[in-house]
């Protein structure tokens, strides 16, 4: 065929052109798997970028990101002109004149290499092809890619072809924007937006010429010219870039002279917040979306989603501050309680032998040592007991100590943890989520994952069952000894609940007073009367999803539940008897700006509106009834403008768990305090009950909310009933004469003579036995 071309030079030219065309076709189709993957036309039109997904609060504050490559793309118009000038002047001065491959630069780089001065000849478009389509990765190599020398030629050829495809599909501005959004700046930081935030805490449009030169200078060596690790080299490289900009006419003489003597001017951004971000809230959102992502084919680490949560950043900040402000004091109180003694005890108060060793054996580190020492426990624990310098978490900040691994385990086991969640009961939107004291040290989420005995915060479900059985808040029962015979799993059992103070007053009390005072004996009586199955059913209908053992003690919170469940269930009381589905994520927007999902709560009527209003009224009894267990809230500035708050304290056996559930006209909040290891706990009610541990967190939190004028949560009474209340509920309890204003429920104080107690009480004797000034005590015993 070629012999028919008589002119030898034309014939050779045609052969070369034909060979090139054939080679290009072979590369494009990966002939015989020799050349590896090449981007298709569709790949070019829809470039795949691993883009970080961002999590925002309802008020548009960025609170977390998910990424495998830390990248947040920005459009060309949002990139400073100085960044573009610095890049073009340094990396590809003829960028606007070539069509993807600059052969003049290639020949120049070859000549420089011959002279012993090697420099690159790749254009910005070629570098983009390499970054975006991984043309030099092993999966793109093909069989020839493994042949020394030949592999480099194959890689270069594919970069050229991809660069031409990019130039034919995109404008120069688009290519610059894509390059700046995909290039790596080290430390898993991809794209100009990420590094602008990281090193200068600025948006890309705000970068100056000197700042742009620092960042572009890093591209020659992301570690060598890192401005934090190597500021002197970064300074020198920055000035090289500024010199290139000046040489290209992009900087005036005056600007160049001023810029090259200016300091680096770093202003490091909060990269932990902007990065993966050790955050309970970020982890909660990821769990929340796991099923949705699987069902709809999204990967939040790659697909550049914008995830809008229902969290209010101001409410979240107040919640975190309230927890932090109380936990240091509580931690010191716990340590003082056990000072000089071993704290891990069984229910009989005996030291648990081998406690720390059992903790150690549950760690991954122990598994590694087991392999290393072939299961020899003596060797393993010898190593674990060797002291070394380490940094541990304390409420006074990170502390450097000489601890062994076993010492470290003891330190962290002794730390109190916390969980707090607050929700709008009417639309199910979660407004704050505090999963623990520090996500870096404690990954376990104490709002959703952790389940603990609820103590007396579970009592309202017994009173709900009573109201549904036809009782009223004014029905009266006597505080007296109770014995309940029942059968569990075919075995006959007897339950004899004690009050928190171990005293039965003989006092006749309304249901509202009994719940407000948290009287175990009366709660047990109504549980027996309505049936504990009814209590379980009421709790499940309101929002408790954990399995509940149907036994008489269920009303005193003997089952394990989460803060999340309890907040959801209490919200049913405030939402007129309609259970709402809690919502943490409100909307998801894809990389192209399209809303791909929006979430609204689902509501289900589970109790009547009348009963729901009566339950809200009953919860207010903990503040309004004599000796109500929430009355320690008077300490905080919560009571302006006829404000009303309902709630319930809770304390599990041996003061292991402290709870407070609080309701206002706008919000429902749950707080839990305790150690992750249940065998470590407070020793008495004065230090460890819910009114002493969890209630102060709620009080501080609500005080901060009410004092924040930027929030719409104001003081005020509960809503009036929307239906007729057919049952008697307004039945004031006898006034109690106290030596002071502090509520006490461990004794039977004097009452104005409405009804004398059936059991005489010697106040003087009781005052000698207990502290009459102690705050209200309640809980399961």
């Amino acid at each position: 065929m070629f012999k028919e071309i008589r002119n030898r030079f034309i014939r050779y030219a045609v052969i070369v052109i034909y060979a090139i065309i054939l080679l290009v076709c072979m590369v494009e189709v990966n002939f015989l798997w020799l050349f590896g993957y090449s981007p298709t036309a569709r790949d070019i039109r829809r470039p795949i970028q691993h883009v970080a997904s961002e999590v925002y609060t309802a008020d548009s504050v960025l609170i977390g990101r998910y990424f495998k490559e830390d990248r947040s793309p920005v459009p060309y118009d949002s990139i400073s002109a100085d960044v573009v000038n610095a890049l073009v002047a340094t990396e590809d001065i003829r960028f606007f004149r070539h069509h993807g491959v600059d052969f003049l630069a290639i020949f120049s780089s070859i000549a420089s290499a011959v002279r012993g001065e090697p420099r690159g000849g790749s254009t910005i478009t070629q570098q983009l092809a390499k970054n975006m389509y991984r043309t030099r990765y092993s999966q793109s190599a093909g069989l020839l890619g493994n042949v020394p020398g030949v592999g480099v030629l194959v890689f270069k050829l594919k970069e050229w072809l991809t660069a031409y495809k990019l130039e034919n599909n995109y404008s120069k501005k688009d290519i610059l924007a894509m390059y700046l959004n995909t290039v790596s700046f080290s430390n898993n930081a991809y794209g100009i937006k990420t590094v602008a935030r990281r090193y200068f805490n600025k948006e890309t449009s705000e970068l100056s010429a000197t700042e742009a030169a620092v960042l572009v200078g890093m591209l020659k060596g992301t570690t060598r010219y890192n401005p934090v690790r190597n500021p002197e080299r970064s300074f020198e490289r920055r000035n090289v870039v500024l010199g290139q900009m000046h040489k290209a006419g992009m900087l005036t003489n005056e600007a160049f002279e001023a810029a090259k003597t200016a300091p680096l001017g770093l202003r490091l951004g909060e990269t932990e917040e902007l990065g993966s971000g050790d955050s309970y809230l970020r982890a909660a959102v990821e769990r929340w979306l796991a099923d949705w992502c699987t069902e709809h084919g999204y990967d939040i680490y790659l697909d550049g989603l914008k995830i809008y949560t229902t969290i209010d950043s101001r409410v979240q900040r107040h919640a975190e501050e309230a927890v932090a402000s109380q936990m240091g004091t509580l931690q010191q109180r716990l340590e003082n309680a056990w000072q000089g003694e071993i704290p891990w005890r069984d229910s009989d108060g005996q030291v648990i032998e081998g406690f720390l060793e059992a903790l150690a054996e549950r760690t991954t580190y122990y598994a590694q040592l087991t392999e290393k020492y072939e299961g020899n426990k003596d060797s393993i624990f010898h190593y674990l007991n060797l002291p070394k310098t380490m940094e541990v978490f304390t409420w006074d900040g990170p502390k450097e100590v000489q601890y062994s691994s076993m010492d470290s385990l003891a330190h962290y086991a002794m730390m109190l943890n916390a969980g707090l969640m607050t929700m709008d009961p009417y639309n199910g939107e979660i407004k704050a989520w505090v999963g623990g004291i520090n996500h870096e040290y404690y990954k376990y989420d104490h709002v959703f994952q952790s389940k603990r005995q609820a103590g007396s915060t579970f009592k309202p479900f017994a009173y709900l069952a009573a109201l549904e059985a036809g009782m009223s808040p004014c029905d009266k029962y006597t505080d007296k000894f109770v014995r309940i015979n029942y059968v569990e799993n075919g075995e006959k059992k007897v339950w004899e609940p004690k009050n928190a103070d171990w005293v039965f007053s003989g006092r006749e009390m309304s249901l509202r007073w009994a719940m407000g005072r948290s009287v175990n004996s009366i709660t047990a009586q109504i549980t027996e009367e309505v049936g504990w199955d009814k209590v379980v059913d009421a709790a499940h209908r309101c929002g408790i999803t954990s399995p509940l053992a149907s036994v008489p003690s269920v009303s005193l919170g003997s089952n394990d539940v989460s803060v999340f469940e309890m907040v959801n269930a209490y919200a049913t009381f405030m939402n007129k008897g309609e259970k709402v589905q809690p919502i943490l994520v409100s909307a998801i927007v894809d990389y192209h700006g399209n809303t791909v999902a929006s979430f609204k709560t689902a509501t289900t009527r589970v109790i009547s509106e009348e009963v729901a209003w009566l339950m809200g009224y009953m919860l207010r009894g903990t503040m309004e009834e004599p000796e109500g267990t929430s009355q320690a809230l008077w300490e905080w500035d919560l009571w302006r403008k006829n404000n009303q708050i309902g709630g319930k304290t809770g304390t599990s056996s041996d003061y292991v768990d402290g709870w407070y559930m609080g309701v206002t006209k706008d919000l429902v909040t749950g707080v839990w305090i305790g150690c992750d290891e249940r065998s470590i706990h407070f020793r008495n009610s004065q230090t460890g009950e819910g009114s002493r541990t969890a209630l102060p967190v709620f009080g501080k939190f609500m005080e901060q909310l009410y004092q924040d004028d930027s929030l719409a949560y104001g003081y005020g009474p509960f809503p009036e009933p929307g239906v007729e209340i057919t049952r008697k509920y307004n039945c004031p309890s006898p006034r109690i004469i106290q030596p002071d204003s502090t509520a006490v429920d461990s004794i039977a104080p004097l009452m104005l003579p409405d009804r004398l107690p059936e059991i005489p009480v010697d106040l003087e004797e009781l005052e000698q036995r207990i502290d009459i000034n102690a705050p209200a005590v309640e809980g399961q015993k």
Side-chain angles (χ1 to χ4, degrees), residues 146-258:
N146 299 316
V147 179
V150 177
V152 175
L153 296 177
V154 171
F155 289 146
K156 274 296 179 183
L157 178 58
K158 288 197 292 186
E159 279 180 18
W160 291 353
L161 295 175
T162 305
Y164 275 116
K165 294 175 188 177
L166 287 169
E167 292 276 347
N168 288 330
N169 281 272
Y170 295 100
S171 68
K172 289 290 188 179
K173 290 182 178 180
D174 290 336
I175 290 172
L176 284 170
M178 285 192 288
Y179 176 83
L180 287 168
N181 285 322
T182 57
V183 68
S184 171
F185 287 88
S186 82
N187 294 333
N188 200 28
Y190 291 79
I192 190 67
K193 180 178 180 178
T194 300
V195 290
R197 286 177 171 178
R198 178 169 295 186
Y199 295 111
F200 297 105
N201 201 23
K202 284 185 174 183
E203 295 300 321
T204 53
S205 59
E206 300 170 346
L207 292 171
S208 66
T210 53
E211 294 164 344
V214 170
L215 299 180
V216 171
M218 292 177 66
L219 299 178
K220 185 175 178 64
T222 54
T223 300
R224 180 179 179 83
Y225 299 112
N226 186 298
V228 175
R229 296 181 180 180
N230 298 300
E232 296 84 4
R233 290 174 179 170
S234 176
F235 184 88
E236 294 173 2
R237 179 61 185 166
R238 181 204 67 177
N239 285 352
V240 170
V241 175
L242 290 172
Q244 292 294 100
M245 295 171 70
H246 177 246
K247 181 180 178 181
M250 298 169 179
L251 285 178
T252 64
N253 292 333
E254 295 79 7
F256 173 60
E257 292 299 325

Side-chain angles (χ1 to χ4, degrees), residues 102-117:
D102 187 352
F103 289 103
L104 182 59
I106 292 172
F107 294 137
S108 177
S109 67
I110 293 173
S112 297
V114 171
R115 295 195 301 269
E117 301 172 356

Side-chain angles (χ1 to χ4, degrees), residues 658-680:
W659 289 76
Y660 191 76
M661 298 298 305
V663 297
T664 70
K665 66 181 180 64
D666 299 310
L667 296 170
V668 175
T669 302
V671 182
W672 169 87
I673 303 291
C675 289
D676 284 332
E677 296 299 324
R678 301 189 193 208
S679 55
I680 304 176

